[in-house]
Each structure stands twice: as structure tokens, then as C-alpha cells.
């Protein structure tokens, strides 16, 4: 976990119970979920295997150990998990070095959260080396801290990443709004006790208690997030 700016001195609306906003990265702020699948297809093609497109819904949003492990088992490819992880990370880095498209509404939301000094964390299942590259494009100043998947004992769908972020900000998880795009990330945030806003990317996610589903990040602003936390 890395921290960049203090989380104190926040200006919040009178009566608002919102203490912090915790944001997923791939598919939520940056349009990169497709990048991962493209890299996986490319790497396995080099190993002599064709990936079934239906597997995309299995591997989306999860930690690399889970998705890579599944693909090795499903294809029978002659490669270790450690070797595959290196190839996937390198392929992904090559793609984001060429282009890093933001999701619609991402830049506006980050600017608004910064303007009102809302403690904000980036919480991703991606490794630190990937997060740091993305942060350079998103703007590190937007985030009080970031949590990578290889920095916690258990990554998504376990609650550890969001509990770590809340603890790092010194806030109550129940008073945090999380923005996610996959069922795996939603499970992690809900297990941590957070209220979740879902902007589904690859696969649909149904509404539920303490879970609000929207069609685009353009539907999400600070007033919307404050309205979710009613403690």
C-alpha cells in the first residue's frame, strides 16, 4: 500500500455520513478490462492454445493468480503460474504504455472528489507495478493512497483490500462508498461492509441491499455518493 497525501482536513456537506470514496481501477476508472483478455488470448496463442470466449466472464475482475490458474488448467498449457504472471503483466504494460483510455465520467469524478477534499483511495487486484503506471496517467494527487492486489494477504473477492484502504484512511468501512465494475470486486467491498456503486463492464451485476447499479460513471457524482451513506 502506498500513501501520497494526508486524509485529514476534509470538507464534507453538513449532515453527510460519507467519510471516503474507494475506487476500483480496471474497468471502473480505466477502460482496460478488454486489455487483460486480449493479452491472455495473445499469450496463450503463443503457447499453442486458443481461449474460449466464454472464459472471459470467468476471469474478469479477479486476482491474476485465480484467472491465470484457471486458464492454465482449462488449456493444459505447459507453463507455470509464475511464468505466466510475468508474461501477462508485461503484455498489459505494453498496451497501457501505448494507450490508456479513461472510462466516461472518470476524469470529472476524480476532479470533483479532489476539489472537495474527499479522502479517496485506488483499490485494485492488479499488481503494484501496474497500478503505479496507471496512477501516472490518472494523477497521483487524486488519491490519498492506493492498495495493490500483491500487497494484501488476500485480494478480491476477500474484504482485505477494502479493509486495508479504510484503515489507511482512518475511516469506517460502513461510511465508505465503493465504485466497482465486477462481481468479484463487489463481493470484496460488501464483505468489508461498504456501500457499493456498480458500473458493470464485462458481465452484468444485479442490484442488492447496500448495492446500487448504474449504467455509466457519468451518473455518479459527489452528491450521488453522499446520498448513499445514511448512517
Amino acid at each position: 500500500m502506498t500513501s501520497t497525501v494526508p486524509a485529514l482536513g476534509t470538507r464534507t456537506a453538513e449532515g453527510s455520513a460519507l467519510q471516503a470514496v474507494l475506487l476500483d481501477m480496471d474497468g471502473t476508472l480505466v477502460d482496460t478490462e478488454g486489455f487483460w483478455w486480449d493479452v491472455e488470448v495473445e499469450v496463450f496463442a503463443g503457447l499453442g492454445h486458443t481461449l474460449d470466449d466464454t472464459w472471459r466472464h470467468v476471469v474478469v475482475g479477479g486476482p491474476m493468480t485465480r484467472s491465470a490458474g484457471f486458464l492454465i488448467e482449462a488449456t493444459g498449457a505447459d507453463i507455470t503460474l509464475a511464468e505466466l504472471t510475468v508474461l501477462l503483466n508485461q503484455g498489459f504494460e505494453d498496451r497501457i504504455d501505448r494507450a490508456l483510455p479513461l472510462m466516461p465520467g472518470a476524469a470529472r469524478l476524480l476532479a470533483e472528489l479532489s476539489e472537495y477534499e474527499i479522502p479517496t483511495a485506488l483499490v485494485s487486484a492488479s499488481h503494484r507495478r501496474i497500478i503505479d503506471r496507471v496512477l501516472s496517467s490518472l494523477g497521483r494527487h487524486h488519491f490519498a493512497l492506493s492498495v495493490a492486489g500483491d500487497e494484501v494477504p488476500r485480494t478480491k473477492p476477500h474484504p482485505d483490500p477494502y479493509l486495508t484502504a479504510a484503515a489507511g484512511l482512518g475511516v469506517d468501512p460502513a461510511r465508505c462508498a465503493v465504485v466497482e465494475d465486477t462481481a468479484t470486486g463487489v463481493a470484496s467491498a460488501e464483505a468489508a461492509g461498504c456501500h457499493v456503486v456498480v458500473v458493470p463492464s464485462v458481465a452484468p451485476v444485479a442490484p442488492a441491499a447496500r448495492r446500487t447499479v448504474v449504467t455509466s460513471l457519468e451518473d455518479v457524482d459527489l452528491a450521488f455518493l453522499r446520498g448513499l451513506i445514511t448512517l
Side-chain angles (χ1 to χ4, degrees):
M1 180 177 70
T2 62
S3 179
T4 55
V5 296
L8 301 178
T10 304
R11 299 196 311 268
T12 57
E14 185 175 354
S16 174
L18 178 69
Q19 290 185 334
V21 176
L22 314 178
L23 299 160
D24 174 55
M25 187 176 78
D26 294 303
T28 298
L29 292 178
V30 290
D31 192 7
T32 50
E33 287 291 8
F35 284 15
W36 283 113
W37 179 249
D38 291 344
V39 169
E40 288 159 350
V41 168
E42 181 180 284
V43 168
F44 276 89
L47 297 171
H49 297 275
T50 300
L51 300 188
D52 189 321
D53 195 60
T54 61
W55 295 343
R56 182 174 183 175
H57 297 292
V58 179
V59 301
V60 67
M64 185 176 293
T65 52
R66 188 194 74 183
S67 57
F70 168 83
L71 292 174
I72 290 173
E73 183 176 353
T75 60
D78 184 19
I79 189 171
T80 67
L81 183 60
E83 291 169 339
L84 181 56
T85 296
V86 171
L87 292 178
L88 293 177
N89 272 326
Q90 185 58 59
F92 186 79
E93 288 178 28
D94 290 343
R95 275 168 170 74
I96 63 176
D97 282 346
R98 294 196 297 268
L100 185 61
L102 299 186
M103 297 299 288
R108 187 254 325 140
L109 178 60
L110 290 175
E112 184 179 18
L113 295 175
S114 292
E115 178 185 357
Y116 288 93
E117 300 179 16
I118 303 299
T120 303
L122 186 68
V123 184
S124 176
S126 291
H127 290 187
R128 170 55 56 188
R129 59 186 284 185
I130 298 295
I131 287 182
D132 283 344
R133 284 178 179 261
V134 174
L135 278 171
S136 296
S137 295
L138 284 176
R140 294 177 183 274
H141 62 284
H142 289 305
F143 303 96
L145 59 85
S146 58
V147 178
D150 55 343
E151 296 174 337
V152 289
R154 303 176 302 172
T155 189
K156 303 174 185 180
H158 299 286
D160 304 40
Y162 285 108
L163 291 176
T164 299
L169 293 174
V171 298
D172 179 358
R175 297 179 65 178
C176 293
V178 168
V179 184
E180 272 281 0
D181 72 304
T182 66
T184 300
V186 170
S188 173
E190 290 182 341
C194 305
H195 193 119
V196 188
V197 177
V198 192
V199 189
S201 56
V202 176
V205 179
R210 296 183 64 81
R211 182 193 308 170
T212 304
V213 180
V214 298
T215 58
S216 169
L217 202 59
E218 293 183 314
D219 298 327
V220 181
D221 58 15
L222 180 54
F224 177 87
L225 296 174
R226 280 175 168 156
L228 299 175
I229 313 300
T230 58
L231 293 177

